[in-house]
Amino acid sequence: MSGQSDERVSSAKDPSTGLQVFSLYGETLRPTDEMLKGVDTLVFDIQDAGVRFYTYTVTMAYCMEEAAKRNIAFYVLDRPNPIGGEIVEGPVSRSRQDKLRCVFSDSGAVTD
């Protein structure tokens, strides 16, 4: 699976295994009933890029919500921040328009 910057990614079959791979960066941003049919556990392997403008954490939040609705176990595989993570700097986005990078509102509730 691969994609280009700022392009939607289509769902497809993995050529090596023949397994269906569902994209959450295309027509849908959340797992659907069809995608989760027969699933008892979701594993989210998050690759931290060391920057907060990536969409990974929002996709993870959406997946966690959908798993919780269906009583599906959810595990997160994480790694240390590759650029250290000791210093937090830069402006904080308060845009509710930017749903793929700013999923949590000021109240802490997930917005959609």
Side-chain angles (χ1 to χ4, degrees):
M1 301 298 308
S2 66
Q4 299 297 318
S5 178
D6 294 328
E7 288 184 8
R8 290 183 177 210
V9 177
S10 299
S11 295
K13 285 205 177 208
D14 178 66
S16 299
T17 64
L19 294 173
Q20 181 67 43
V21 177
F22 295 106
S23 172
L24 297 177
Y25 198 69
E27 294 300 316
T28 184
L29 302 177
R30 294 172 175 268
T32 64
D33 285 333
E34 176 190 347
M35 293 174 184
L36 296 174
K37 184 179 180 182
V39 172
D40 61 9
T41 303
L42 278 177
V43 178
F44 195 93
D45 187 11
I46 186 165
Q47 302 269 333
D48 194 341
V51 293
R52 66 175 163 230
F53 56 79
Y54 270 55
T55 61
Y56 305 145
T57 54
V58 174
T59 301
M60 182 176 66
Y62 288 166
C63 289
M64 290 173 78
E65 286 184 329
E66 298 305 318
K69 288 178 190 176
R70 295 163 179 86
N71 201 30
I72 295 173
F74 193 90
Y75 295 91
V76 178
L77 307 179
D78 198 1
R79 293 160 189 74
N81 184 327
I83 58 172
E86 292 88 18
I87 300 171
V88 178
E89 58 187 334
V92 175
S93 176
R94 302 214 186 274
S95 171
R96 293 181 186 262
Q97 309 303 317
D98 191 4
K99 292 180 185 173
L100 274 179
R101 292 181 287 184
C102 305
V103 68
F104 297 103
S105 71
D106 293 339
S107 68
V110 177
T111 59
D112 194 19

